[in-house]
Amino acid sequence: MPRYEYRCRTCGSTFEVSRPMAESSAPADCPAGHGDTVKLLSAVAVGGTTSAPAAGGGGGGGGCCGGGCCG
């Protein structure tokens, strides 16, 4: 079940709520009982490796066109 992070506008505390995605936009009360809360955007980290090309573009080692033709 996804966890959503909220911040209370009254007391400034942040807290998380586990709830189904279908209820992701439903309001959440602060643990202190305040109702004026806002859902925060969370960064998602995904594990694994990437196969991004090396800096310099092209991946062929020749600069802008990927070869030795840019002379």
Side-chain angles (χ1 to χ4, degrees), residues 1-6 16-28 39:
M1 189 170 319
R3 296 179 63 84
Y4 299 95
E5 189 174 17
Y6 293 84
E16 292 181 345
V17 175
S18 294
R19 56 173 47 161
M21 290 178 71
E23 298 175 16
S24 65
S25 61
K39 187 167 81 168

Side-chain angles (χ1 to χ4, degrees), residues 60-71:
C64 64
C65 59
C69 61
C70 293

Side-chain angles (χ1 to χ4, degrees), residues 6-34:
Y6 293 84
R7 186 183 70 227
C8 177
R9 292 180 179 171
T10 304
C11 66
S13 66
T14 58
F15 59 96
E16 292 181 345
V17 175
S18 294
R19 56 173 47 161
M21 290 178 71
E23 298 175 16
S24 65
S25 61
D29 286 341
C30 162
H34 306 124

